[in-house]
Amino acid sequence: MTDSPASSASRTPDRIELAAAPVEGGCSSKDTMRAAAEEAGKGEILARYAADYPKGPHDQPQSMCPAFGSLRVGLRMRRTATILSGSACCVYGLTFTSHFYGARRSVGYVPFSSETLVTGKLYEDIRDAVHLMADPALYDTIVVTNLCVPTASGVPIQNLPKQINGVRIIGIDVPGFGIPTHAEAKDVLAGAMLAYARKEASQGPVAAPSQRPDRPTVTLLGEMFPADPVGIGQLLEPLGLAAGPVVPTREWRELYSALDCAVVAAIHPFYTASVREFEAAGRPVVGSAPVGVDGTAAWLDAIGAACGIAQSLVDAAKDRFLPAIRAALDANPIKGRITVSGYEGSELLVARLLIESGADVPYVGTACPKTRWSEPDRAWLEARGVRIQYRASLEQDIAAVEEYRPDLAIGTTPVVQHAKSEAIPALYFTNLISARPLMGPAGAGSLALVINAALANQDRFNRMQTFFDGVGADANAGIWRDTPVDRPEFKKKYAARMVGLNKSEEAVGT
């Protein structure tokens, strides 16, 4: 017997391949969580999401947690309560939404442990919480949302009672590994509410909306600036039509009015689940929006055709509004090269309006997918040489800024940050572009003020870049008491030490 090893063959140095190791838990483990959700019985729901919100060509755009969108929809509705089921860190972050949008209401939370998650007690806790909150004096609806971990664990949120004490209960799964963007999560909840309301209407009389136009209505699909529905209503008046509710709605009974329309205008083209409910109710859906001269003319033609309006009335409406739109565009020209990117869903519409205002727009990136409702905008833009990137990644949006070197970059926060670091004026799409009217005569000149003010800042950026050249970059980044001095000998000495350390680690176990 001997203490010598059985084999004298040299061993491969021990290595831990961190890049290849699966990460358990958290937003970065989407593949693991998706597989777990399918095994736990959520495969059908995930398949529906995959069909409604296709991800390609990228796995997923860099956006905030998708539940941000569905939570916002619920918080904006009157007499609607929200309960979240998910990891405490996720819920903590998402409650930021309620403060950011000034909802002034609480967000319910059902905590869990490994034991309650595995044994099914979490579902019972959620059910008990819903029963406690279901007060018809306070609420019309309670929305219960499964976040990533409960969805991956198969918590059957859809099995909750559909109604308790006259309060509607809607359970939805909004996992980050199944829904690409927060914009599409808005559609998840809006579609679920429309499905519920459509079933109610099919079973008998429902509560009448607080406002009922005396003309056929056009339901507007997609959140927009508050002045836009008013402008759209003015465009529709000569056709004998009225603007209906905006979906997502602000109260439950508006859902009945939205379903009881002559046609649906898919202003934001990614509301796939909502479109499915409208089509099931027998309502035609029209894409694009009344932006600029060409967009307004084509949109009025499409609405007229869908509603069977005489062409003479449509032409009269165009004769009335198109000259005013053209005059507004001519009075507020925009000169310069502009790249556009964002995750709201209206990026193509903004690009159209910029081009009709005189801007050169070589690139449009949107985190949303390509759908048939955005086809009119895609065709119009590509005919004018615009490169459109659906499901755009941050890297692609930044690459477009580098490639085209625009006079102004419109985009998400990191795109704006990159552009400004390159001394290129930039505007945040969500707060500075979406927060303005886009439709009809009011929208024609609305962008010019903020766009032209930003374009005029180029000289200011150049002076700032010259003044701060080399400050806060590379090894000089940060705040210093004394001026940093480059010491290349230290770098060389440290590099040599690291080489020796790596060699000694390789020798371990050989």
Side-chain angles (χ1 to χ4, degrees):
M1 188 163 182
T2 177
D3 292 332
S4 61
S7 172
S8 60
S10 61
R11 288 179 50 193
T12 302
D14 296 328
R15 286 289 182 271
I16 299 177
E17 298 294 341
L18 297 177
V23 181
E24 300 296 337
C27 300
S28 60
S29 60
K30 53 186 177 295
D31 293 334
T32 301
M33 301 187 83
R34 185 185 299 110
E38 292 174 349
E39 186 176 348
K42 296 286 185 177
E44 184 177 349
I45 292 174
L46 293 179
R48 167 53 62 191
Y49 288 164
D52 286 349
Y53 317 116
K55 291 187 177 180
H58 302 289
D59 179 49
Q60 194 162 8
Q62 296 96 320
S63 177
M64 69 282 288
C65 170
F68 185 97
S70 57
L71 178 60
R72 168 178 167 143
V73 168
L75 290 173
R76 285 162 59 92
M77 290 188 69
R78 303 180 186 92
R79 292 178 52 83
T80 299
T82 297
I83 296 177
L84 295 178
S85 172
S87 299
C89 56
C90 299
V91 175
Y92 176 81
L94 286 167
T95 55
F96 160 77
T97 310
S98 61
H99 301 293
F100 186 81
Y101 288 106
R104 295 184 180 180
R105 64 176 71 175
S106 299
V107 176
Y109 171 48
V110 181
F112 64 87
S113 64
S114 297
E115 180 181 355
T116 61
L117 190 65
V118 172
T119 62
K121 181 66 166 55
L122 173 57
Y123 173 75
E124 296 178 5
D125 291 343
I126 294 172
R127 184 187 58 197
D128 293 344
V130 171
H131 276 275
L132 285 172
M133 290 191 68
D135 183 352
L138 299 176
Y139 305 118
D140 294 329
T141 313
I142 296 176
V143 178
V144 187
T145 303
N146 266 348
L147 302 179
C148 288
V149 173
T151 299
S153 301
V155 176
I157 204 78
Q158 287 79 13
N159 291 349
L160 290 170
K162 302 303 178 187
Q163 191 178 101
I164 301 174
N165 299 329
V167 178
R168 303 167 186 86
I169 310 300
I170 296 179
I172 56 174
D173 292 285
V174 188
F177 56 83
I179 301 169
T181 67
H182 81 289
E184 288 154 302
K186 296 177 185 178
D187 179 49
V188 172
L189 182 51
M193 288 185 166
L194 284 168
Y196 197 120
R198 187 169 64 84
K199 185 177 181 180
E200 286 182 317
S202 67
Q203 292 175 341
V206 294
S210 55
Q211 296 181 347
R212 300 187 65 185
D214 56 358
R215 292 165 288 165
T217 60
V218 177
T219 293
L220 307 176
L221 189 53
E223 291 182 314
M224 61 193 76
F225 187 73
D228 277 334
V230 177
I232 291 175
Q234 294 172 346
L235 294 173
L236 294 172
E237 185 179 359
L239 306 184
L241 302 173
V246 175
V247 177
T249 61
R250 292 301 187 96
E251 62 180 30
W252 186 268
R253 63 177 59 191
E254 287 182 351
L255 293 166
Y256 307 133
S257 182
L259 289 163
D260 185 28
C261 65
V263 63
V264 178
I267 304 296
H268 287 191
F270 57 83
Y271 281 81
T272 308
S274 299
V275 165
R276 184 165 53 247
E277 296 303 325
F278 283 118
E279 290 182 334
R283 305 299 184 242
V285 182
V286 170
S288 192
V291 292
V293 174
D294 291 354
T296 302
W299 189 81
L300 288 172
D301 284 335
I303 292 293
C307 296
I309 305 296
Q311 188 61 42
S312 59
L313 291 178
V314 177
D315 291 339
K318 290 194 288 186
D319 291 341
R320 176 178 171 183
F321 292 109
L322 296 187
I325 295 173
R326 171 50 60 195
L329 293 171
D330 291 343
N332 300 277
I334 297 174
K335 302 299 181 183
R337 174 175 289 186
I338 302 173
T339 57
V340 178
S341 57
Y343 44 56
E344 299 297 332
S346 56
E347 291 77 26
L348 275 64
L349 300 179
V350 169
R352 291 190 64 157
L353 194 54
L354 289 173
I355 290 173
E356 287 209 32
S357 298
D360 171 24
V361 181
Y363 172 84
V364 178
T366 175
C368 296
K370 180 180 180 180
T371 71
R372 53 187 167 133
W373 313 119
S374 63
E375 275 300 291
D377 304 316
R378 181 203 60 77
W380 191 92
L381 289 169
E382 289 187 349
R384 286 154 182 79
V386 180
R387 176 157 64 91
I388 301 172
Q389 180 61 61
Y390 294 98
R391 289 286 190 232
S393 67
L394 171 61
E395 291 77 11
Q396 286 178 313
D397 290 340
I398 289 179
V401 173
E402 290 296 316
E403 177 182 353
Y404 295 109
R405 304 301 296 180
D407 302 305
L408 174 68
I410 297 174
T412 57
T413 303
V415 173
V416 169
Q417 181 183 25
H418 174 80
K420 288 183 176 180
S421 71
E422 296 289 317
I424 298 174
L427 295 173
Y428 178 37
F429 188 99
T430 300
N431 285 7
L432 296 173
I433 304 300
S434 287
R436 280 172 168 71
L438 298 176
M439 318 296 170
S446 68
L447 293 181
L449 182 63
V450 65
I451 295 293
N452 286 330
L455 288 170
N457 276 333
Q458 184 61 68
D459 180 64
R460 182 182 175 192
F461 271 90
N462 292 340
R463 285 184 281 120
M464 290 174 63
Q465 187 182 44
T466 301
F467 183 81
F468 290 104
D469 185 34
V471 176
D474 301 324
N476 293 335
I479 301 175
W480 303 84
R481 290 182 179 272
D482 302 312
T483 303
V485 177
D486 191 22
R487 301 297 295 269
E489 66 274 15
F490 286 175
K491 297 178 182 178
K492 183 177 180 180
K493 180 179 179 180
Y494 181 74
R497 289 184 60 189
M498 290 302 300
V499 171
L501 182 61
N502 289 336
K503 287 183 178 181
S504 63
E505 287 181 348
E506 290 178 0
V508 175
T510 58

